[in-house]
Amino acid sequence: MATTDRRKLPSRSRDEGQDSGRERISRAAYDLFSREGVRSVGVDAVIARAGTAKMTLYRNFPSKDDLIVEFLRRREQLWTREWLQTESRRRGETPRDQLLAIFDVFAEWFSRPDFEGCSFLTTMIEVNDRDHPVHQAAVGHLANIRDYIKELAAEIGIHDTDSFARKWHILMKGSIMAAHEGDTAAAARAREIGELLLAQHGC
C-alpha cells in the first residue's frame, strides 16, 4: 500500500475482497469512524453508508461497541500492519533505518489533506473508562505498535526493548498530536529526537 502517491488509506484489506453485508458495514464504519470519531457517528449513519438493513448490522455486531472493536481491529490490519510496518521495512535497509523511516512515512501522512490522526488514540480518549472493552482494545492496539518497535530494537541490539519502545512511541504519538496542532514539521522534529535517542543507545 503505497503512500508516495498520497492516496487515502484504503478501508479494504487485500484479504477482504468479499462484499458481504458484514464487510460493507465494517468498511462503512471504518470510513466514518476514522474521519469523525466513534462517538459522534451513530449506527444509522453506518447503515446508510453501507446500504444495508439495520438487522444486518445487529446480526453481525450486536452493539455499537462491538462495531467499534471491529473498526479498531481493521485499523490495525490496514494502518499498522499493511501500511506503517510495511512502509518502514520497505524504506529502511537496517532496523535502525526502519525505525527512522516511520517518521518519513509520517511526514507524508501529515501533509495529506485527509490526515485523520491516530484512531487508537482518539478512541481511547473518547471512551476514557479504562475498564471499558473499547478502551482496552484501543490500548491493546497501541501496545501492538510498541511490539513492532521492540522487535526492531532487539534486532539493533538494544537490551531494554520495552523502555526504548515506550520512548519511541512517545515520539510517534507526540508528532501525531503536533501535526493535529498544525506543526507541518512535526515528523522531521520527531525524527531528529529519534536520532539522538538511538545515539544514546549506541546505535
Side-chain angles (χ1 to χ4, degrees), residues 35-56:
R35 288 188 292 105
E36 302 176 27
V38 300
R39 281 306 191 203
S40 62
V41 176
V43 294
D44 289 340
V46 175
I47 292 167
R49 179 67 172 263
T52 60
K54 184 173 289 189
M55 183 181 299
T56 303

Side-chain angles (χ1 to χ4, degrees), residues 136-152:
Q136 291 179 346
V139 170
H141 289 300
L142 287 168
N144 291 340
I145 295 173
R146 287 196 300 276
D147 284 343
Y148 175 61
I149 302 168
K150 286 194 284 187
E151 179 183 337
L152 294 178

Side-chain angles (χ1 to χ4, degrees), residues 72 123-125 127-140:
L72 294 173
T123 299
M124 183 181 66
I125 293 169
V127 184
N128 60 9
D129 178 358
R130 293 187 178 185
D131 295 324
H132 196 286
V134 167
H135 185 98
Q136 291 179 346
V139 170

Side-chain angles (χ1 to χ4, degrees), residues 72-88:
L72 294 173
R73 181 208 64 78
R74 190 184 191 101
R75 183 71 171 180
E76 177 172 280
Q77 180 63 32
L78 296 173
W79 188 90
T80 305
R81 302 194 185 284
E82 294 185 13
W83 178 66
L84 184 62
Q85 292 182 11
T86 298
E87 280 297 303
S88 72

Side-chain angles (χ1 to χ4, degrees), residues 12 16 29 69 82 98 139 151 166 171-172 181 203:
R12 185 191 295 252
E16 293 176 324
V69 169
E82 294 185 13
Q98 289 161 5
V139 170
E151 179 183 337
R166 290 181 182 278
L171 291 180
M172 292 171 63
E181 190 180 358
C203 303

Side-chain angles (χ1 to χ4, degrees), residues 2-192:
T3 60
T4 53
D5 58 4
R6 297 167 63 86
R7 290 176 300 177
K8 179 181 178 182
L9 290 173
S11 61
R12 185 191 295 252
S13 169
R14 290 188 293 266
D15 299 325
E16 293 176 324
Q18 71 278 14
D19 200 24
S20 65
R22 179 186 176 90
E23 167 64 12
R24 292 200 304 274
I25 290 167
S26 178
R27 193 163 64 244
Y30 184 94
D31 291 340
L32 292 169
F33 288 161
S34 60
R35 288 188 292 105
E36 302 176 27
V38 300
R39 281 306 191 203
S40 62
V41 176
V43 294
D44 289 340
V46 175
I47 292 167
R49 179 67 172 263
T52 60
K54 184 173 289 189
M55 183 181 299
T56 303
L57 185 146
Y58 285 114
R59 184 170 61 244
N60 288 281
F61 305 101
S63 71
K64 184 182 176 183
D65 287 342
D66 293 318
L67 185 59
I68 296 172
V69 169
E70 164 63 14
F71 156 65
L72 294 173
R73 181 208 64 78
R74 190 184 191 101
R75 183 71 171 180
E76 177 172 280
Q77 180 63 32
L78 296 173
W79 188 90
T80 305
R81 302 194 185 284
E82 294 185 13
W83 178 66
L84 184 62
Q85 292 182 11
T86 298
E87 280 297 303
S88 72
R89 287 196 182 278
R90 183 182 69 82
R91 297 175 187 224
E93 294 185 2
T94 66
R96 181 187 186 279
D97 293 339
Q98 289 161 5
L99 280 168
L100 293 170
I102 289 173
F103 299 111
D104 298 333
V105 176
F106 274 13
E108 296 176 7
W109 182 38
F110 294 167
S111 66
R112 293 199 325 229
D114 63 346
F115 168 63
E116 75 282 38
C118 176
S119 295
F120 306 132
L121 289 176
T122 55
T123 299
M124 183 181 66
I125 293 169
E126 286 187 273
V127 184
N128 60 9
D129 178 358
R130 293 187 178 185
D131 295 324
H132 196 286
V134 167
H135 185 98
Q136 291 179 346
V139 170
H141 289 300
L142 287 168
N144 291 340
I145 295 173
R146 287 196 300 276
D147 284 343
Y148 175 61
I149 302 168
K150 286 194 284 187
E151 179 183 337
L152 294 178
E155 292 176 18
I156 293 175
I158 293 173
H159 297 297
D160 191 347
T161 57
D162 182 71
S163 176
F164 176 85
R166 290 181 182 278
K167 293 174 184 177
W168 199 266
H169 204 193
I170 287 171
L171 291 180
M172 292 171 63
K173 291 181 287 189
S175 68
I176 292 170
M177 298 310 293
H180 269 303
E181 190 180 358
D183 184 354
T184 58
R189 299 185 209 280
R191 195 185 197 281
E192 290 177 7

